[in-house]
Amino acid sequence: MSLINWIDLPNRGDERGCLVAIESGKNLPFEIERVYYIHGTQDGVSRGFHAHKKLQQVAVCVAGSCEMRLDDGTEKASFQLDDPAKAIAINPMVWHEMHHFSSDCVLVVFADAAYDESDYIRDYDSFQEAVTR
Ligand code: T46
């Protein structure tokens, strides 16, 4: 599986503005079990710094922007999230970090399972060991 998997979301815009619809199992590659959003991130703060063992997620910046860094242990990628109609998949066993949040950034994340702290790998050395095993 490639490291960067963009998902183009249908933008049902018209002269009044934009509307992006997300349907479970239709334009996302899984059934949505949980949605959370990150907003009000303070200037200079970075987040993430973990991988998930099994969780599949898709993230989209619905306002503002941030930088996403992905690392599968072999390849690394870094890019801006700044388009409400362009989502990025965060696959299991991909180390991810978010940096440079704009003050108006709202990052929405769709996940295929409930919150489970035991699914997180928060130590980079343990992550590298797991992906090279
Ligand atoms: C991820 C990136 C993109 C909950 O109680 N329920 C939840 O569903 C989530 C996601 C978090 N939490 C609690 C756990 C912590 O006490 O919220 C607090 C902040 O979570 P965390 O430090 O893990 O936040 P980030 O921004 O570093 O990471 C989050 C997600 O946790 C993570 O799954 O992939 O965003």
Side-chain angles (χ1 to χ4, degrees):
M1 192 180 284
S2 64
L3 179 60
I4 303 178
N5 296 284
W6 290 108
I7 296 169
D8 290 319
L9 302 170
N11 196 340
R12 312 286 180 211
D14 58 28
E15 65 285 351
R16 297 169 298 170
C18 302
L19 190 156
V20 176
I22 294 171
E23 291 183 66
S24 206
K26 228 177 182 182
N27 40 19
L28 295 195
F30 52 76
E31 295 292 322
I32 299 164
E33 177 70 27
R34 177 169 52 113
V35 179
Y36 61 91
Y37 45 93
I38 294 167
H39 65 106
T41 302
Q42 298 297 304
D43 195 28
V45 169
S46 295
R47 308 188 62 123
F49 299 93
H50 57 254
H52 287 284
K53 295 174 192 165
K54 292 191 179 154
L55 188 72
Q56 290 190 69
Q57 300 191 104
V58 166
V60 58
C61 245
V62 298
S65 64
C66 68
E67 180 194 343
M68 176 73 78
R69 295 182 193 166
L70 301 180
D71 172 358
D72 62 8
T74 306
E75 201 187 333
K76 293 182 187 195
S78 162
F79 45 82
Q80 281 290 106
L81 292 179
D82 57 9
D83 184 343
K86 210 168 163 86
I88 186 76
I90 306 173
N91 291 320
M93 297 309 288
V94 172
W95 186 265
H96 50 285
E97 302 174 6
M98 292 87 74
H99 300 270
H100 307 300
F101 286 82
S102 63
S103 56
D104 59 346
C105 180
V106 181
L107 180 65
V108 178
V109 184
F110 302 91
D112 74 343
Y115 175 70
D116 176 8
E117 184 57 38
S118 71
D119 186 66
Y120 285 69
I121 303 174
R122 292 191 183 271
D123 174 66
Y124 189 73
D125 291 341
S126 306
F127 162 72
Q128 277 207 309
E129 202 179 304
V131 288
T132 52
R133 220 181 270 151

